[in-house]
Amino acid sequence: MVMKPRNFNKDFAFGEITFVKPASSEDMKQGIDAWLGGIPFAWRKRRISVTKYSEISIRYSRSNNSKTEYAKILDGSFKPQIYLFEFIDAIVICLTSDIYDCLTNRDYIVQSNPDNSTTGCYIKLESIKHLMVERNG
């Protein structure tokens, strides 16, 4: 007979990871894509290899003039503390405070995106502190 430790249920519940999808207003107004363990995260997905350009990007402007990540980070309304950039072969993890530093130091370039309705703010990986986790397979 296998016995569970006396506090198994309590320990199991304590170890559970809390993941919450934000309300749409949190995403639109504050840039929050997910809450993990009570910490707000932003997440950007790209359909390219991280090695293609070796950079991360955030939205700089939209043709409809709606507020972008660039503006939200600079004015303080962007609440995620951690920003994940998902590529087909890796995930790059940055602190929003480090992105803010690159923006205020103008350590980026702005380019039109292929959709012709947005521009991106591109930061070279060599210019920002980051953690890169390569995907297996």
Side-chain angles (χ1 to χ4, degrees), residues 56 58 73 83 85 94-104 123 128:
I56 58 168
I58 60 171
I73 290 170
Y83 213 132
F85 299 89
C94 299
L95 294 177
T96 302
S97 59
D98 292 329
I99 296 171
Y100 175 86
D101 290 345
C102 285
L103 299 181
T104 58
I123 301 169
I128 189 166

Side-chain angles (χ1 to χ4, degrees), residues 44 46 55-59 83 85 87 120-123:
R44 173 130 163 76
R46 307 232 9 227
E55 61 193 11
I56 58 168
S57 66
I58 60 171
R59 194 168 289 111
Y83 213 132
F85 299 89
F87 296 87
C121 179
Y122 296 89
I123 301 169

Side-chain angles (χ1 to χ4, degrees), residues 20-35 38-42 69 72 77-80:
V20 178
K21 291 185 102 178
S24 60
S25 63
E26 283 183 308
D27 186 8
M28 290 176 53
K29 294 179 181 176
Q30 299 174 332
I32 300 170
D33 292 314
W35 289 89
I39 298 171
F41 284 76
E69 291 84 356
K72 292 173 194 174
S77 61
F78 192 83
K79 298 304 179 197

Side-chain angles (χ1 to χ4, degrees), residues 48-64:
I48 60 172
S49 168
V50 70
T51 59
K52 184 168 184 173
Y53 302 111
S54 296
E55 61 193 11
I56 58 168
S57 66
I58 60 171
R59 194 168 289 111
Y60 182 80
S61 68
R62 291 185 173 130
S63 60
N64 67 4

Side-chain angles (χ1 to χ4, degrees), residues 61-68 117:
S61 68
R62 291 185 173 130
S63 60
N64 67 4
N65 293 321
S66 60
K67 201 170 187 181
T68 62
S117 67

